[in-house]
Amino acid sequence: MKLLGMLMYMWVCSICLFLSTLVIARPDTTVSTIFRFSPVFLTGKQAIFSAQMEAESPGIPEVRIVHHQDLNKKILIALVVASSLLGILLLFLLCFWIYRLKSWKNSNGKSKQNFDAGKGLALTPIVERFNSLMVAGKKDSVAVIEYHLLEAATNNFGESNVLVEGGRGRVYKAHFNEKFLAAVKRIEGGQDAQKEFENEMNWLVTFRHQNIISLVGCCIHGETKFLVYEMMQNGSLENQLHGPTHGSDLTWHQRLKIAVDVARGLEYLHEHCNPPIVHRDLKSSNILLDSSFNAKLSDFGLAVTAGTQNKNVKLSGTLGYVAPEYLLDGKLTDKSDVYAFGVVLLELLMGRRPVEKMSPSQCQSIVTWAMPQLTDRLKLPNIVDPVIRDTMDLKQLYQVAAVAVLCVQPEPSYRPLITDVLHSLIPLVPIELGGTLRVA
């Protein structure tokens, strides 16, 4: 609009300039005309004197009379041409502005049409973005989702949509439409929360693995940050084992498959990332299960590269899962994740929490309580989760218990690599669940 106003101003100034030129030129024409016809008004003597002067002065140049009508025509033509050009330019700019205005309205209209009728939510851009990233396997890229879309998808972050209460905030179920659901983690807090948000987003945009949660997008609204993940319909392993169902939905073979999935995710971090990654907060609440009970690692806010100097790593983790050397000396390696995996394996095996209260002032860890019985084949069946106690093969039970014992060794050097753990567990899983053929 400013450009149109400026051009209008230039157009008017040009017209005024040409008109003023035309007005100034007209007095010359009048003078020339009077000079030409002035002899008509001379007296007789003056006429004779003038004739004599003309006869006696043949060398005086003849005064030529200029007809300014031709000049006025040229000025008028120039004025018309200039005005026409400016008019065409203005018309073109006006049409362009109208086109842009219509395009903007149409784009808004399409966005509104894509809104879910019940929730007012633009689904298509988010789904297409997520699908394109997954199909192409594209790294270092994440969709930025507008806040009002998350607000609509979570019913204004209503209590009925809360999936879990986390350490840094809540996780909400987001209904983008009937076919596309997601989990939205709302992160609030100070510098630590900001750092964890950035850390997790930076890691997840680089990971592409079937046993690591996929990031759909992110959002920043004021001081609040949001991470949007793929939906995991069966929630966390913690909720399955220690929630209302108390593990009744998890068979022995499903538990073995979950353990293998977790080991695969850790192997990817330890062996296939460059540099290797230490999760640093592996626990049952950070192991999520999809509709088929496939397990995926989540919550990478505390993840660091292996070999990070101790002075740069703040002591963090969850009581019961933290390796002794990290808790006492701040020593952090991939073996710290192996220890946490051993605790998760004991949870799957016994159905007990990693730390249980013995009295108001005393707690006992699952490792301390179970270790003496894990190595005793007579006592071992008695500490197994009652839900699966009568459905398992004792030989498999002994093998799983042996792996767990090695993983929770106090000395890191005695613990196996996660790759060795994976190779020990895979043969125990049925082929239809992702296991391998057993070699006799």
Side-chain angles (χ1 to χ4, degrees), residues 4-295:
L4 288 174
M6 187 179 296
L7 288 174
M8 286 289 293
Y9 176 75
M10 292 171 61
W11 189 24
V12 172
C13 290
S14 300
I15 294 174
C16 294
L17 180 60
F18 281 122
L19 289 176
S20 63
T21 304
L22 183 61
V23 172
I24 293 171
R26 286 193 174 276
D28 293 339
T29 304
T30 306
V31 171
S32 299
T33 305
I34 294 173
F35 179 79
R36 181 181 178 185
F37 295 100
S38 59
V40 175
F41 302 99
L42 295 177
T43 60
K45 291 182 179 181
Q46 289 173 333
I48 295 171
F49 175 77
S50 178
Q52 289 178 352
M53 288 293 291
E54 290 178 4
E56 293 176 359
S57 306
I60 297 175
E62 181 181 0
V63 178
R64 299 183 64 184
I65 300 172
V66 180
H67 296 277
H68 291 279
Q69 292 179 355
D70 294 338
L71 183 59
N72 291 340
K73 288 180 181 179
K74 292 180 180 179
I75 294 174
L76 183 60
I77 292 171
L79 178 61
V80 171
V81 171
S83 300
S84 300
L85 291 175
L86 286 172
I88 292 172
L89 181 60
L90 285 172
L91 183 62
F92 171 77
L93 291 173
L94 181 62
C95 292
F96 179 73
W97 180 73
I98 293 173
Y99 169 76
R100 289 294 299 273
L101 183 62
K102 287 184 177 180
S103 299
W104 180 75
K105 288 182 178 180
N106 289 337
S107 63
N108 282 351
K110 289 180 180 179
S111 297
K112 290 180 180 178
Q113 290 175 3
N114 287 332
F115 274 31
D116 182 82
K119 303 184 182 300
L121 178 64
L123 165 72
T124 304
I126 299 172
V127 178
E128 289 180 352
R129 176 68 169 162
F130 175 62
N131 290 339
S132 64
L133 292 177
M134 293 301 293
V135 171
K138 190 174 181 181
K139 294 184 177 183
D140 303 321
S141 182
V142 63
V144 177
I145 303 175
E146 295 181 5
Y147 174 74
H148 70 89
L149 301 182
L150 298 181
E151 197 174 33
T154 58
N155 193 22
N156 198 24
F157 299 100
E159 293 289 333
S160 60
N161 280 36
V162 176
L163 292 174
V164 65
E165 195 92 33
R168 295 292 182 186
R170 292 177 167 182
V171 178
Y172 297 85
K173 179 167 57 178
H175 292 262
F176 287 97
N177 71 5
E178 294 179 357
K179 296 181 180 180
F180 188 83
L181 302 178
V184 179
K185 181 161 74 173
R186 182 172 185 164
I187 303 171
E188 296 177 315
Q191 292 183 350
D192 289 342
Q194 170 73 18
K195 186 177 180 180
E196 288 182 23
F197 166 79
E198 294 176 355
N199 196 45
E200 181 165 13
M201 188 171 66
N202 290 336
W203 286 129
L204 287 181
V205 296
T206 63
F207 297 155
R208 288 292 179 272
H209 192 270
Q210 61 182 354
N211 297 119
I212 293 180
I213 197 75
S214 295
L215 185 66
V216 178
C218 66
C219 174
I220 298 177
H221 182 70
E223 296 297 322
T224 308
K225 286 82 179 174
F226 301 88
L227 290 172
V228 184
Y229 311 92
E230 61 176 313
M231 187 64 182
M232 302 295 282
Q233 290 81 354
N234 280 311
S236 68
L237 177 60
E238 179 188 44
N239 187 62
Q240 287 289 335
L241 289 174
H242 312 303
T245 61
H246 297 285
S248 60
D249 293 335
L250 299 177
T251 66
W252 168 244
H253 286 140
Q254 283 177 327
R255 297 185 190 209
L256 289 177
K257 172 62 165 52
I258 290 171
V260 167
D261 287 343
V262 175
R264 281 180 174 143
L266 286 178
E267 185 193 41
Y268 172 79
L269 297 177
H270 295 177
E271 304 294 338
H272 300 286
C273 289
N274 187 21
I277 308 299
V278 178
H279 188 284
R280 203 160 61 119
D281 197 23
L282 180 67
K283 55 185 177 180
S284 58
S285 62
N286 287 338
I287 298 170
L288 305 181
L289 308 173
D290 66 11
S291 58
S292 301
F293 290 97
N294 296 307

Side-chain angles (χ1 to χ4, degrees), residues 395 427 436-440:
K395 186 178 179 180
T436 58
L437 287 172
R438 297 176 181 84
V439 179

Side-chain angles (χ1 to χ4, degrees), residues 288-310:
L288 305 181
L289 308 173
D290 66 11
S291 58
S292 301
F293 290 97
N294 296 307
K296 298 189 180 187
L297 304 184
S298 68
D299 202 341
F300 287 81
L302 298 178
V304 296
T305 56
T308 303
Q309 294 297 323
N310 295 341

